[in-house]
Amino acid sequence: MESYPPEFVLHLQPTLIITGLAPASTGHQDASNQAQTPSDNPPPPPPRPAANQDKEQQASSSLEAQKAALLQAMLSRNNVSYWDNTKGLAGSLYYVVSERRGYVLPPTRKFLQQTGQQNPMDPSFSPSSPSSPLYPDGLMTPLWIKRHRKQIPSVFIAVVDLWDRESVKDSGTGSNGQRTFSDKGPLGVVDPMERDNDIILAQELLERRKAAQERYVKFAAVIILQRSHMQDPSIEDRLNFVRKSAGLDIKNSFYVLPPSNNQEISDFAVNLQRSQYEGSMNYYKEQVKRHKKKKSNLPATTASIRPAQQQSQQQPQQQGLSVQGWMLRYEFKMGVFSECKQDIDNAIKHYESAYGLLIDMFAVTSTITPGASGLQSRTKRWAEAKVLADCLCLKICKFHLYLDAPSTALFCFRRHLTVFKAFSETWRMGDDSFEYWAWLAKQYRMLGDLIDVGTKAGFKLPPCTPGSIVYGSFAGLSDGSKDLNKFSGISLGSGTIGFGIGQGGEAFTYGGSVGGGRGGGTHGPGAGINPMLVLQHAGFFYHQAANCNVQRRLRFEIAEEAYPDSSVAPVATANRPYPPSLQSMNAERAIDHHSLTIELLTKSYEQFKRYKAGRMTLFLASEIAGTYYAAGKFEMALKFFERIGKTYRKEGWNLILTSILKWSVQCAKQLEFWETVVECLVEMMSPDMPSTTEKRQSSLDELISILYNDTHPANNVVHKPLVLSMPQINSFAACAVQFQKRQASVSSPCRFQVQLSTPGGEEALPKPFRISYIHVEFSDATLNHYFEDPRPYTNDESTQVDAGTMRTTDRTGRRLEWTDCTQCTFGELYNTVDKSQSAWKKDVHLDIRPFETKVFEGIIVPATEQVVKVLKVTLGIVSSHWKIALEFPSQDLAQDQDQTQQHHHMPSEGEPPRRQWLETQYSTAGSAPKLRLKNLDQGVRRTAELCIVPRESKVEIKALFKSPAYLDEFFPVKIKVRNGETCPVAMELDVDLQPMDPSIESQDSIVLDPQAAADSIIAGTAEMTQTLKGISLVPSSTTKGKGENRDEIPVGQWAEQTVYVKALEIPSPRTIVCKVRYPLSLDKDHTKTWTEKQYSFRVLFIPPFDAGVDYILQPKPHKDTNSRDVKNGLPLIMEPNQVDERQGTVMIPALMQKEDYLMSTRVNNEGPWPIEVKEVSLVTSSTADAIGHRATTRREASSGGLSRSHSLKRPGERKTLQEAGVRVELIEDGNFASSDQTGDEDICVRQWRPSNLQTFNYLVRVVAADMELAPEQIDVGFLRIRWRRAEEDDALKCPYTITDVQLQPLTLPKAEVYMTVDLPKSAKVNKPFTAKYEVHNPTSKLHELSLTVEQSEGMVFAGTMQTTIRLLPYASHPIQMTCYPINAGLIRLPKVKLVINRRQGVKRGNPAPVTLQQGVAAHEEVLVKVRGATTLNSSPTASTVSGTVGVEAVAIFVKPEAGLIE
């Protein structure tokens, strides 16, 4: 669309001119102020101070910034584009033009006629004006649209700023800096300078408003205020005065913009444009009415034609524009104004009418104006009218797309092409001229650009379904457009005529009912078949334009050949009666047709790629490559050929690929890219490429000439090695490798065959082709093979058979040739691409013949355990100037083959395909060998890899042990190995104890000498290992001393080795892996190869012991009353602190508390095996902490010695006793003695049988530095048991091991007030005794206690019955009573009820609430319990509150009197 005037093709919008915002505009204030200054005024005052100047500059800069922001906001929504289908206020409303402040609208023509003036800045574009470029018979110029877009707006906005005192630099000031003019006084006197400037501003706005009204232009004014105006109380009066004086409406003609930020200014600009939109629409509405009125005033078209006689008598010099031309102008203008108004329906109507009038003017004889001749071809007006017709067609198509009527838009475009094709024949510019094809290419490109712009803007193309294709409907076209068909023979005047395009591209009509509305209509013949009837994406039209450009180039080349002289005008001849003009020929010579075609094809390629049309993109790429080749740009053509060749090669389009390869060869020859030439020729040798025998022979001869002819231009230099991956191209030969077996042993010979065949028949390869070598590369480089043909190349076909080669044919007639390559020599390679290689070499004949298969059989001997894979097979071609490697990678060798590639055997129907091996067979002794095909394992997948496994060992391994095993013990496992080989061998044993969880470091170990390991554990130098390697095995009948050499085990003999496993922590099975290895001779050279056998088993480990404990609190001895709480004459709270030297802690006597506990421990042997226990001891936690044993215990827990399966809580999860201020002392140890003693008399060993329960008692004392700070539970310690498994045989006994068994924690009593009682051991009836109670306060609080003693049945007492005790912190208080028992038996003493009175807590700062029961104290009763006495619990009384437990009564056994017993 760039080739047409932009005013004709752009989407038109309402024009808005805004003045006063241009940066370089001159302010209206300065000029007005200078004009109003009288001559008799005093001289200007001296300059203002610097502070005032800074304020003025700041105010001026802020005002300019505000204007710049407003201008940017107004211009930001300008959308100058070819496509804009947004309606209403949603999109861009105006095309905004910024002018200087002094801009004045052009005067109207009526004003100029009345005043007799002329406006040089506003030239006339009317054909009736002599100064017009259209004078005398021009139709329309884009300058008229440009004037209405740039100079004549629909909305005129004047932006002005209100005058301010601070902006006047020359205002008078006195010597003291005071202003000489008066401000607004208290009676409302207005400042005269402000009023004068406001009057000038209002007069300016009034004149602009009147000038706009003359042109029906909507006028509005915007006044920008400064910050100083916001503080002026008279600003509102001034604004009202200006508005009323200028006659502006406050609703939509007068706006005020205060100082604002950018976002507010942007919102103001949007609202300003929207408020003027209605006035803008009214302007264009009036313009349409005015031009419609002018059109109606035109005379009839028939009246404008003069008779022929009158025309001959009075022939004017220049004939003016006809009435039909004026009608066209008015219709076009009404279409432009309707488009600016965004009235698409009326715009289409007026443009269609203008288009119909214009088409009628092109005809030889007009049908609208009878007798009028059409436009003369090849003239200026004819060229202008042709451009106008193209642009009108573009507008009409675009507007139909706006209205979502793509079928109608496509019809209008096809109609335009059909009409002008008929016109071109009358203009002698038919399809045999380059001018017609140039115009047609421009039309297709124009439509492609339109659709491209539309789809990017959101237009959706219609789906290509038969129901969506409409052949044409004229229901939406105007009446004027239906008459344009009369000249061309296409009758479109009836409403029942449809229009379509035939399969050959010709237009046709058909009868049918035309649907109403756009896009409706009857589906014509072939609906959904012809893609020419469907509006498709832009790529189709770009491709059509490229094809037209190719025809244009061909027609021009013919004309150029006929008229080569650029300075002589073409002359008509018999063959070319209508030659082109000299001007068009010279213009065409300046055009690069190839570049233009490539540009169009590239655009089409991008569009088809965008819509994912793969086939079409490849076709376009080939056309681009062909165009590059025609243009002589061979390198670009070669790149495109290579790019599209990959896809055609991958998808098997060999017919197209053959043509691409031929073109690639031609391009590469021109560029002297001989490597590319060779690659293309090698692929063209493939029988899959369709070609004749002569062409295939020519390609092979050319390849041989390049490779072996030293005089060929390609052999001027020695080329770099060329490597071709044959699976990526079509190969002329098929290569496959297979092993005879899928699995083999180490050091055993393994046969393989390399099969090289030519696919196709006898004519696939015109003549034999010799390769230089075959290089087979394995994953083990020491196994590589290299088969070389040492003969020089000759053109004579050789029929000589190599030694060791046999030939035969299969059932299909294919020739088979087998070559023995088992006897090879190892040496370096010289002709390969990589010379630093060695391989097993063999000289063979490598002539490749058609319909033949060559098989090369070799042997490899792998020396190690591995998987031998075929990496690749390389066919080499070597000459004096070339080294070419044709590689067949392993993924191609091992891929599944179809039945057509099995050349040796065609399986019958229903028979599964088999892998075949070509072998030699001797029918009788002494006869010549024959070749036959042997079926191997099923499956068509060739065996391109060989699994090398070690030789299967014949030794036997056993493991003997007693399961389950105990944790922490050295568990013996006897491993026995039997030699099942045919010869004596020396064996080594590896034992591996595998971890339970590889992510966790294992603490288990395996040793050979348990006593040494136990000693190292005691010494702390043990190194745990889970692997024993290199253990020499000896026969069971002999003994192996330390340092002796490895001995051989005879055939059938057993060897044994005992290992000891020590497992810790977790009771679960352990896996033990035994591996026996030994050297063995497998070949005749007696080369020893290591053979291995592995055996694994599992051993279950369980904990040896399970322990439990009961803690019994022991009563404290009663202190003497006289020495109570007094030591050395001082109370305990006054005693000095004590230092515990063992623990290193400070003990406060008053806070220290001691408690004795009897520990009753129970230990059970959980396993099924008896054990011998040497020692059982209790290790307290304080002792362990004091000697640093806890850290050692933790290490042993992770490296041996602690069975954690019995721990209720791990030690690391709580503080140590020393940190908590608690000490545990062992007062009395349990008795570990037995009558069954073994060994020394001083050592007591006890045998524990399975499930036997052992009981041990210990008396411990817990000393707490402060019971309030002590934890709730403490670890008293653990039982250390020294034990071993009981064995009858002393040789099997292992050393003693140590297991530390954790005990349950001890729950300490809470730090609270409690009582103790001291009673006699026995009492008798009628014998009084003394009961001594003592109340203890181990807390740091002062307690107030209430004592109440209640009577008891069977006993009376003497003492205090009720009192109150105040108990100091860490103090005690005695209570004593005399009891007199009167009954015998277990008698309850009088109940001593001791209650703690605790007041309810009140937060500090908050007064206690006042209740109605002021006399009742709010308190909580807590019962004091008795510790260490026999008690009888009674039910709780009703008076106890929450938290109070039942009263405890102490009981004593009372004996009867002696006389009563008697």
Side-chain angles (χ1 to χ4, degrees):
M1 288 187 285
E2 290 80 3
S3 58
Y4 291 100
E7 291 80 9
F8 281 163
V9 294
L10 286 176
H11 181 81
L12 302 180
Q13 292 176 322
T15 303
L16 185 147
I17 291 182
I18 186 168
T19 61
L21 298 179
S25 62
T26 304
H28 180 70
Q29 284 185 356
D30 298 339
S32 62
N33 291 339
Q34 294 178 3
Q36 295 295 332
T37 303
S39 60
D40 56 349
N41 279 355
R48 296 184 178 185
N52 295 337
Q53 293 181 2
D54 294 341
K55 291 181 180 180
E56 294 170 3
Q57 294 177 0
Q58 185 177 3
S60 177
S61 61
S62 62
L63 181 62
E64 294 299 328
Q66 197 166 2
K67 289 183 178 181
L70 180 59
L71 178 60
Q72 182 180 2
M74 295 292 292
L75 297 178
S76 62
R77 304 189 68 186
N78 274 8
N79 184 19
V80 182
S81 64
Y82 298 107
W83 184 284
D84 186 4
N85 60 343
T86 55
K87 298 179 181 180
L89 303 178
S92 178
L93 301 182
Y94 297 98
Y95 174 69
V96 181
V97 179
S98 177
E99 293 288 351
R100 54 184 176 82
R101 181 170 179 177
Y103 175 79
V104 180
L105 290 175
T108 61
R109 185 179 303 176
K110 180 179 179 181
F111 176 79
L112 295 177
Q113 292 176 356
Q114 292 177 355
T115 58
Q117 300 178 4
Q118 291 184 357
N119 186 12
M121 301 301 297
D122 185 21
S124 175
F125 299 117
S126 175
S128 60
S129 176
S131 61
S132 172
L134 299 178
Y135 181 81
D137 55 352
L139 294 176
M140 183 54 63
T141 175
L143 298 177
W144 180 84
I145 300 179
K146 183 177 181 180
R147 182 174 66 176
H148 278 270
R149 292 186 74 244
K150 299 289 187 180
Q151 299 177 2
I152 304 178
S154 62
V155 178
F156 182 75
I157 299 177
V159 180
V160 296
D161 48 343
L162 201 61
W163 182 86
D164 184 34
R165 298 189 188 94
E166 300 295 335
S167 62
V168 182
K169 298 182 179 181
D170 299 334
S171 61
T173 58
S175 60
N176 57 356
Q178 299 294 330
R179 292 181 296 185
T180 57
F181 54 83
S182 61
D183 291 336
K184 183 176 180 181
L187 299 180
V189 181
V190 179
D191 184 359
M193 293 188 66
E194 288 181 351
R195 180 50 55 89
D196 292 343
N197 286 278
D198 291 347
I199 293 174
I200 296 174
L201 179 60
Q203 185 65 27
E204 178 186 355
L205 296 178
L206 179 61
E207 293 176 357
R208 290 174 178 266
R209 183 181 65 83
K210 291 181 178 180
Q213 285 181 350
E214 293 180 357
R215 283 191 168 272
Y216 304 100
V217 176
K218 181 68 174 67
F219 177 77
V222 177
I223 295 183
I224 300 180
L225 300 181
Q226 304 181 22
R227 295 192 179 276
S228 58
H229 290 141
M230 307 307 295
Q231 301 175 0
D232 190 359
S234 63
I235 187 64
E236 186 174 354
D237 297 337
R238 294 181 58 188
L239 292 175
N240 288 331
F241 174 76
V242 173
R243 180 183 61 81
K244 293 179 180 179
S245 301
L248 299 175
D249 185 12
I250 192 173
K251 184 176 181 181
N252 55 7
S253 297
F254 188 78
Y255 302 90
V256 178
L257 178 61
S260 309
N261 55 28
N262 292 337
Q263 182 61 38
E264 293 173 348
I265 293 176
S266 178
D267 296 340
F268 174 81
V270 172
N271 295 330
L272 178 63
Q273 292 186 14
R274 290 184 176 181
S275 64
Q276 305 302 314
Y277 189 74
E278 183 179 358
S280 174
M281 297 297 102
N282 293 332
Y283 168 79
Y284 291 113
K285 184 178 180 180
E286 293 296 329
Q287 292 294 330
V288 172
K289 289 181 179 180
R290 190 167 64 90
H291 286 82
K292 184 180 294 185
K293 184 178 180 180
K294 288 184 177 181
K295 179 186 175 183
S296 63
N297 294 331
L298 290 175
T301 55
T302 55
S304 61
I305 302 301
R306 299 178 183 178
Q309 296 82 1
Q310 186 177 357
Q311 289 184 9
S312 61
Q313 294 176 2
Q314 300 178 1
Q315 183 68 27
Q317 297 294 332
Q318 290 182 349
Q319 185 177 2
L321 186 63
S322 63
V323 175
Q324 185 174 349
W326 285 104
M327 292 172 61
L328 184 148
R329 283 176 55 85
Y330 292 143
E331 289 289 348
F332 180 80
K333 290 182 178 181
M334 286 188 289
V336 169
F337 291 137
S338 298
E339 182 181 357
C340 292
K341 197 176 59 169
Q342 308 305 307
D343 186 0
I344 304 301
D345 291 320
N346 286 324
I348 293 177
K349 177 181 177 181
H350 294 300
Y351 282 146
E352 285 280 5
S353 299
Y355 181 81
L357 293 170
L358 182 59
I359 294 301
D360 186 75
M361 296 179 68
F362 278 111
V364 178
T365 58
S366 174
T367 58
I368 299 177
T369 308
S373 59
L375 294 173
Q376 187 177 357
S377 62
R378 301 183 186 275
T379 60
K380 178 182 178 182
R381 301 305 181 194
W382 172 83
E384 292 176 355
K386 196 175 180 183
V387 170
L388 181 59
D390 295 341
C391 295
L392 283 174
C393 177
L394 176 65
K395 287 273 189 181
I396 294 170
C397 294
K398 179 170 64 175
F399 289 161
H400 282 301
L401 295 180
Y402 281 2
L403 299 177
D404 197 16
S407 299
T408 308
L410 182 62
F411 159 73
C412 295
F413 178 74
R414 297 294 183 190
R415 177 193 62 186
H416 181 66
L417 300 185
T418 305
V419 168
F420 273 85
K421 180 180 181 181
F423 282 145
S424 299
E425 296 294 338
T426 61
W427 297 331
R428 303 300 186 264
M429 295 168 54
D431 53 4
D432 57 344
S433 65
F434 64 85
E435 295 167 318
Y436 169 75
W437 291 105
W439 172 83
L440 190 59
K442 186 185 295 185
Q443 302 308 304
Y444 279 116
R445 179 169 185 171
M446 179 179 64
L447 183 60
D449 291 340
L450 176 63
I451 297 176
D452 183 26
V453 173
T455 52
K456 290 179 180 179
F459 174 71
K460 301 297 183 182
L461 290 170
C464 297
T465 57
S468 63
I469 303 173
V470 179
Y471 283 76
S473 172
F474 293 90
L477 304 180
S478 63
D479 296 335
S481 62
K482 299 177 183 179
D483 297 331
L484 58 90
N485 303 279
K486 298 179 181 179
F487 75 93
S488 58
I490 302 177
S491 177
L492 300 180
S494 174
T496 60
I497 296 298
F499 172 81
I501 303 295
Q503 295 183 358
E506 70 280 0
F508 67 87
T509 60
Y510 63 91
S513 60
V514 180
R518 293 180 185 84
T522 303
H523 301 283
I529 298 177
N530 191 354
M532 300 292 288
L533 304 177
V534 184
L535 182 66
Q536 304 182 62
H537 60 78
F540 288 92
F541 299 102
Y542 285 137
H543 183 232
Q544 290 288 345
N547 292 336
C548 294
N549 199 68
V550 172
Q551 297 296 327
R552 171 187 182 181
R553 177 177 59 84
L554 296 177
R555 301 301 191 275
F556 173 70
E557 289 176 354
I558 296 174
E560 179 71 13
E561 183 179 358
Y563 311 106
D565 194 351
S566 61
S567 59
V568 179
V571 180
T573 61
N575 295 331
R576 302 183 63 87
Y578 304 104
S581 62
L582 179 62
Q583 181 181 1
S584 61
M585 286 290 296
N586 291 335
E588 198 72 13
R589 289 188 180 100
I591 294 176
D592 188 356
H593 297 87
H594 293 291
S595 299
L596 184 57
T597 304
I598 292 173
E599 179 187 358
L600 293 171
L601 290 174
T602 304
K603 285 179 173 289
S604 179
Y605 177 86
E606 293 173 353
Q607 292 292 327
F608 278 100
K609 184 178 180 181
R610 175 184 174 186
Y611 288 92
K612 300 180 181 180
R615 291 282 177 264
M616 196 63 187
T617 54
L618 295 175
F619 174 72
L620 291 172
S622 64
E623 288 197 348
I624 293 174
T627 307
Y628 274 122
Y629 181 84
K633 299 179 181 180
F634 302 108
E635 187 172 0
M636 291 298 299
L638 185 60
K639 289 182 179 180
F640 274 91
F641 282 132
E642 291 176 353
R643 185 186 306 174
I644 61 179
K646 293 179 181 179
T647 305
Y648 285 122
R649 184 181 296 112
K650 179 180 178 181
E651 298 183 359
W653 295 86
N654 295 328
L655 180 61
I656 303 176
L657 182 61
T658 303
S659 176
I660 292 175
L661 292 176
K662 292 179 180 179
W663 285 105
S664 300
V665 169
Q666 298 300 325
C667 293
K669 286 182 180 179
Q670 296 293 337
L671 298 171
E672 295 185 353
F673 291 170
W674 298 109
E675 290 82 2
T676 305
V677 174
V678 170
E679 180 179 359
C680 295
L681 291 176
V682 168
E683 186 171 7
M684 292 173 64
M685 291 172 57
S686 171
D688 296 332
M689 311 301 291
S691 179
T692 60
T693 305
E694 293 77 9
K695 292 182 179 180
R696 200 180 301 276
Q697 178 71 36
S698 175
S699 300
L700 181 59
D701 293 342
E702 186 175 3
L703 176 62
I704 294 175
S705 176
I706 293 175
L707 294 179
Y708 299 105
N709 189 0
D710 295 338
T711 61
H712 195 277
N715 297 325
N716 295 330
V717 295
V718 177
H719 298 273
K720 295 181 180 180
L722 177 61
V723 179
L724 301 180
S725 179
M726 300 308 289
Q728 305 298 326
I729 63 176
N730 292 278
S731 176
F732 66 92
C735 186
V737 179
Q738 64 175 345
F739 292 99
Q740 188 176 16
K741 298 180 180 179
R742 296 181 180 272
Q743 183 174 325
S745 302
V746 176
S747 301
S748 61
C750 308
R751 292 181 176 270
F752 70 94
Q753 287 185 353
V754 180
Q755 174 184 306
L756 184 63
S757 60
T758 55
E762 293 287 350
E763 298 180 356
L765 197 64
K767 63 179 181 179
F769 181 72
R770 180 179 300 174
I771 59 177
S772 302
Y773 64 86
I774 299 177
H775 188 198
V776 185
E777 298 184 39
F778 297 94
S779 56
D780 187 354
T782 60
L783 306 177
N784 294 349
H785 279 63
Y786 184 81
F787 308 137
E788 183 180 10
D789 192 340
R791 299 174 299 168
Y793 180 81
T794 59
N795 292 327
D796 298 335
E797 183 177 354
S798 175
T799 58
Q800 181 181 1
V801 179
D802 189 14
T805 301
M806 301 175 61
R807 291 182 177 178
T808 186
T809 58
D810 62 1
R811 63 182 63 179
T812 63
R814 173 177 287 273
R815 293 182 295 273
L816 303 179
E817 182 178 295
W818 178 85
T819 304
D820 184 9
C821 300
T822 56
Q823 302 297 325
C824 299
T825 58
F826 193 78
E828 295 184 357
L829 306 181
Y830 300 100
N831 292 330
T832 59
V833 176
D834 187 3
K835 295 183 179 181
S836 61
Q837 292 185 2
S838 300
W840 297 91
K841 299 192 296 184
K842 174 77 173 179
D843 292 342
V844 294
H845 290 177
L846 297 177
D847 292 325
I848 301 178
R849 298 179 178 85
F851 204 58
E852 183 183 49
T853 298
K854 287 180 174 292
V855 178
F856 304 92
E857 183 172 337
I859 293 178
I860 60 173
V861 184
T864 59
E865 179 184 355
Q866 59 181 322
V867 177
V868 179
K869 297 182 179 180
V870 181
L871 299 182
K872 62 181 176 180
V873 177
T874 304
L875 308 182
I877 303 175
V878 181
S879 65
S880 58
H881 295 85
W882 293 89
K883 286 185 178 181
I884 303 173
L886 310 180
E887 293 184 350
F888 294 87
S890 60
Q891 59 267 22
D892 181 64
L893 297 174
Q895 68 182 354
D896 293 339
Q897 306 289 335
D898 55 14
Q899 295 182 0
T900 59
Q901 293 177 330
Q902 298 292 323
H903 305 297
H904 312 323
H905 173 63
M906 299 298 292
S908 59
E909 185 178 358
E911 179 184 356
R914 296 176 179 271
R915 196 162 57 88
Q916 295 180 332
W917 183 268
L918 187 62
E919 64 177 4
T920 58
Q921 182 183 18
Y922 295 87
S923 58
T924 58
S927 61
K930 297 181 180 180
L931 294 177
R932 76 180 186 93
L933 291 172
K934 179 182 179 181
N935 292 329
L936 300 180
D937 50 344
Q938 293 184 0
V940 297
R941 183 178 179 85
R942 299 186 183 278
T943 306
E945 63 180 31
L946 178 66
C947 182
I948 305 300
V949 297
R951 179 181 174 273
E952 184 178 357
S953 177
K954 297 182 180 181
V955 301
E956 183 181 354
I957 305 175
K958 292 182 179 181
L960 304 178
F961 54 88
K962 295 180 179 180
S963 181
Y966 289 130
L967 293 173
D968 297 338
E969 74 165 331
F970 289 97
F971 180 66
V973 178
K974 182 180 292 185
I975 302 173
K976 301 185 67 176
V977 181
R978 178 181 177 275
N979 181 11
E981 299 290 350
T982 59
C983 60
V985 292
M987 301 184 185
E988 290 185 354
L989 174 65
D990 294 343
V991 185
D992 184 16
L993 178 60
Q994 295 186 351
M996 293 176 292
D997 189 352
S999 62
I1000 302 176
E1001 182 180 1
S1002 176
Q1003 302 299 327
D1004 302 341
S1005 61
I1006 183 170
V1007 297
L1008 293 176
D1009 188 356
Q1011 186 62 47
D1015 296 341
S1016 63
I1017 291 176
I1018 296 175
T1021 60
E1023 294 183 359
M1024 300 304 173
T1025 178
Q1026 289 84 30
T1027 304
L1028 297 176
K1029 290 185 176 296
I1031 303 175
S1032 301
L1033 297 179
V1034 296
S1036 302
S1037 60
T1038 61
T1039 59
K1040 178 176 71 68
K1042 184 177 181 181
E1044 291 183 359
N1045 294 329
R1046 184 171 52 201
D1047 196 5
E1048 292 183 347
I1049 301 175
V1051 178
Q1053 294 294 324
W1054 288 87
E1056 62 181 32
Q1057 177 67 47
T1058 302
V1059 296
Y1060 297 87
V1061 181
K1062 186 178 179 65
L1064 306 178
E1065 292 189 354
I1066 303 175
S1068 64
R1070 265 67 167 180
T1071 302
I1072 301 176
V1073 179
C1074 301
K1075 183 183 295 184
V1076 177
R1077 63 178 182 272
Y1078 52 92
L1080 192 66
S1081 300
L1082 299 178
D1083 52 5
K1084 299 179 181 180
D1085 299 335
H1086 300 286
T1087 302
K1088 292 186 177 296
T1089 303
W1090 283 91
T1091 305
E1092 294 182 353
K1093 185 170 184 179
Q1094 183 172 305
Y1095 175 74
S1096 62
F1097 57 93
R1098 294 168 67 88
V1099 180
L1100 176 63
F1101 284 84
I1102 62 174
F1105 306 106
D1106 183 18
V1109 62
D1110 294 332
Y1111 298 97
I1112 303 173
L1113 179 64
Q1114 300 299 306
K1116 293 183 178 180
H1118 187 72
K1119 296 181 181 180
D1120 189 5
T1121 307
N1122 298 327
S1123 62
R1124 174 175 49 87
D1125 288 347
V1126 178
K1127 187 176 182 182
N1128 298 327
L1130 295 174
L1132 292 179
I1133 197 170
M1134 301 298 294
E1135 286 293 324
N1137 298 339
Q1138 301 176 5
V1139 179
D1140 190 347
E1141 296 180 356
R1142 292 180 301 175
Q1143 302 291 338
T1145 58
V1146 178
M1147 310 293 288
I1148 302 175
L1151 305 180
M1152 186 172 57
Q1153 185 174 356
K1154 301 179 181 179
E1155 298 288 349
D1156 294 342
Y1157 292 90
L1158 177 63
M1159 295 178 56
S1160 177
T1161 59
R1162 302 172 302 279
V1163 183
N1164 183 26
N1165 178 13
E1166 288 190 338
W1169 313 111
I1171 60 175
E1172 295 178 356
V1173 180
K1174 185 177 182 181
E1175 179 184 0
V1176 178
S1177 61
L1178 175 66
V1179 180
T1180 63
S1181 299
S1182 298
T1183 304
D1185 291 342
I1187 63 177
H1189 187 269
R1190 180 167 293 277
T1192 306
T1193 302
R1194 292 175 184 172
R1195 289 194 299 271
E1196 290 179 354
S1198 60
S1199 62
L1202 179 60
S1203 177
R1204 301 202 179 201
S1205 58
H1206 307 289
S1207 299
L1208 297 182
K1209 194 172 185 181
R1210 292 182 179 268
E1213 298 178 359
R1214 59 166 62 92
K1215 296 182 179 179
T1216 62
L1217 297 184
Q1218 184 176 357
E1219 295 174 351
V1222 180
R1223 183 174 74 251
V1224 179
E1225 300 175 353
L1226 179 61
I1227 300 176
E1228 184 177 349
D1229 197 351
N1231 185 16
F1232 184 76
S1234 175
S1235 60
D1236 301 332
Q1237 296 182 358
T1238 60
D1240 273 344
E1241 295 178 357
D1242 297 336
I1243 301 177
C1244 178
V1245 178
R1246 181 181 297 174
Q1247 190 177 53
W1248 291 2
R1249 298 190 179 278
S1251 302
N1252 283 1
L1253 185 66
Q1254 310 294 330
T1255 304
F1256 304 94
N1257 296 326
Y1258 302 94
L1259 184 62
V1260 296
R1261 175 172 295 168
V1262 179
V1263 181
D1266 189 353
M1267 190 60 71
E1268 291 185 352
L1269 302 179
E1272 295 181 0
Q1273 292 182 341
I1274 63 171
D1275 288 332
V1276 176
F1278 53 87
L1279 289 179
R1280 174 165 290 177
I1281 304 176
R1282 190 177 180 86
W1283 66 281
R1284 70 181 177 185
R1285 184 189 291 259
E1287 297 285 353
E1288 296 180 358
D1289 189 359
D1290 294 340
L1292 299 178
K1293 290 186 177 181
C1294 296
Y1296 286 97
T1297 184
I1298 296 176
T1299 297
D1300 294 340
V1301 183
Q1302 284 285 349
L1303 301 176
Q1304 289 89 342
L1306 170 63
T1307 302
L1308 296 179
K1310 296 182 179 179
E1312 60 184 3
V1313 178
Y1314 65 95
M1315 284 191 305
T1316 59
V1317 62
D1318 186 11
L1319 299 175
K1321 294 183 178 180
S1322 62
K1324 293 183 179 181
V1325 178
N1326 298 327
K1327 297 285 185 171
F1329 65 90
T1330 303
K1332 299 178 181 180
Y1333 290 86
E1334 188 170 6
V1335 184
H1336 300 271
N1337 181 16
T1339 66
S1340 60
K1341 299 179 182 180
L1342 175 64
H1343 292 283
E1344 186 175 311
L1345 308 176
S1346 297
L1347 175 66
T1348 304
V1349 181
E1350 299 178 358
Q1351 296 180 1
S1352 175
E1353 297 179 0
M1355 187 176 295
V1356 295
F1357 74 97
T1360 305
M1361 295 186 63
Q1362 186 172 2
T1363 184
T1364 301
I1365 303 173
R1366 294 179 64 86
L1367 195 60
L1368 297 177
Y1370 309 108
S1372 60
H1373 181 79
I1375 302 173
Q1376 185 173 337
M1377 66 177 65
T1378 301
C1379 300
Y1380 189 87
I1382 57 178
N1383 294 329
L1386 188 61
I1387 305 301
R1388 185 174 58 185
L1389 272 68
K1391 296 180 181 179
V1392 179
K1393 182 179 180 182
L1394 193 63
V1395 179
I1396 303 175
N1397 297 325
R1398 293 180 181 175
R1399 297 182 180 275
Q1400 292 182 354
V1402 180
K1403 294 184 179 180
R1404 183 174 301 176
N1406 296 333
V1410 180
T1411 61
L1412 297 177
Q1413 300 176 354
Q1414 295 292 340
V1416 180
H1419 67 278
E1420 180 183 2
E1421 295 182 358
V1422 179
L1423 183 67
V1424 177
K1425 297 181 180 180
V1426 182
R1427 294 183 183 177
T1430 303
T1431 60
L1432 296 175
N1433 293 334
S1434 61
S1435 59
T1437 62
S1439 62
T1440 59
V1441 297
S1442 177
T1444 303
V1445 299
V1447 179
E1448 294 181 343
V1450 181
I1452 188 171
F1453 186 77
V1454 180
K1455 297 180 180 179
E1457 292 181 346
L1460 295 177
I1461 296 177
E1462 294 176 359

